[in-house]
Amino acid sequence: MDRLLARDERQPPPVAMASLGFLEKTSMITEQGRTFPESSEDSCWYALHTMSNCEAKVAVYLRAFDIETFLPDYPSRRQWNDRIKMIRRPLFPGYLFSRLPKKPPSQALGAPGLAYIVGFAGIPLPIPEQEIDSVRRVVDSGLNVCGCPMLKTGERVRMRSGPLKGLEGRLERIKSQFRLVISVELLSRSIATEVGWESIEVLSQKLPPFR
């Protein structure tokens, strides 16, 4: 919920967050054009992008080839007509992680529901194992956890929900709170309101500080 520099007394329990940094798309690796980066390791972690709601399906398929997978999720309440049900949702919707060998089986890379391996310029990029371990540690901690966008101070953002829905401004952070800064350029003045990360949509690259 959006807040105007006033703290809501009904605060939700602390939320643990973990970031895997920037992920850029690459086309799906095929049997004819398979290219993996050079590495001294026998296997590395990669991010796999899946079709909608296919994360678990792809994970099960890969495990049949003895390929290790990691699909971090969290419990979420879902409202049905006559009841509320707890379900598991992926922390990174549309993604799961897999430790792939240097020469993975061609059948494994043809998993139904698998769109592509995340990388750059057509080459899959491995994810540092410490990042995977950090996410796993948070998931296994028992703390309340959910996914969130990777936000940076200075980015231009738009509110996607709440009373300020559609409003655009610059993102700032003071201590642990995010603030949406609205500026009147002609007057060189700004106002700010506290916002939750879950209601923020990033619009552009980082902007220079307002003067």
Side-chain angles (χ1 to χ4, degrees):
M1 182 179 292
D2 304 327
R3 294 160 290 176
L4 282 172
L5 302 180
R7 190 169 183 175
D8 190 340
E9 296 297 329
R10 297 169 295 176
Q11 292 290 335
V15 174
M17 305 179 188
S19 170
L20 285 172
F22 178 77
L23 298 180
E24 183 171 342
K25 295 194 270 186
T26 183
S27 58
M28 178 58 196
I29 305 303
T30 65
E31 184 174 357
Q32 292 78 18
R34 191 182 311 129
T35 305
F36 280 77
E38 293 294 331
S39 173
S40 59
E41 302 292 334
D42 291 333
S43 62
C44 295
W45 283 101
Y46 294 90
L48 311 183
H49 183 51
T50 72
M51 298 177 184
S52 179
N53 299 318
C54 287
E55 302 93 344
K57 179 180 179 180
V58 173
V60 171
Y61 185 92
L62 292 176
R63 289 169 191 157
F65 292 90
D66 294 325
I67 294 178
E68 184 180 358
T69 64
F70 176 41
L71 177 55
D73 58 12
Y74 68 100
S76 175
R77 292 184 179 182
R78 183 170 182 178
Q79 179 71 54
W80 296 85
N81 292 335
D82 57 346
R83 67 189 186 280
I84 296 177
K85 184 178 180 181
M86 294 296 295
I87 62 174
R88 306 292 300 186
R89 292 183 179 275
L91 269 176
F92 304 95
Y95 294 93
L96 75 149
F97 307 102
S98 178
R99 186 192 289 274
L100 297 175
K102 290 183 178 180
K103 296 182 179 180
S106 57
Q107 296 94 333
L109 295 181
L114 175 59
Y116 53 79
I117 303 175
V118 177
F120 180 75
I123 300 178
L125 291 180
I127 296 176
E129 187 154 1
Q130 59 267 29
E131 292 190 4
I132 298 294
D133 290 342
S134 296
V135 175
R136 196 189 300 274
R137 184 175 177 181
V138 171
V139 172
D140 294 342
S141 68
L143 298 172
N144 292 316
V145 58
C146 61
C148 70
M150 190 172 181
L151 302 173
K152 298 179 181 179
T153 297
E155 286 183 315
R156 187 162 186 82
V157 297
R158 177 192 295 126
M159 302 302 298
R160 61 182 183 183
S161 62
L164 301 181
K165 183 178 179 180
L167 192 64
E168 299 181 8
R170 190 180 75 250
L171 186 69
E172 295 294 345
R173 186 167 186 169
I174 298 179
K175 295 183 179 180
S176 61
Q177 298 293 333
F178 286 113
R179 293 187 177 184
L180 179 70
V181 178
I182 306 298
S183 302
V184 180
E185 302 286 345
L186 183 63
L187 301 180
S188 296
R189 294 291 185 273
S190 302
I191 60 173
T193 177
E194 290 183 6
V195 295
W197 61 263
E198 68 280 357
S199 60
I200 295 173
E201 174 187 11
V202 177
L203 292 179
S204 63
Q205 299 295 324
K206 187 173 181 179
L207 298 176
F210 177 75
R211 295 180 181 178

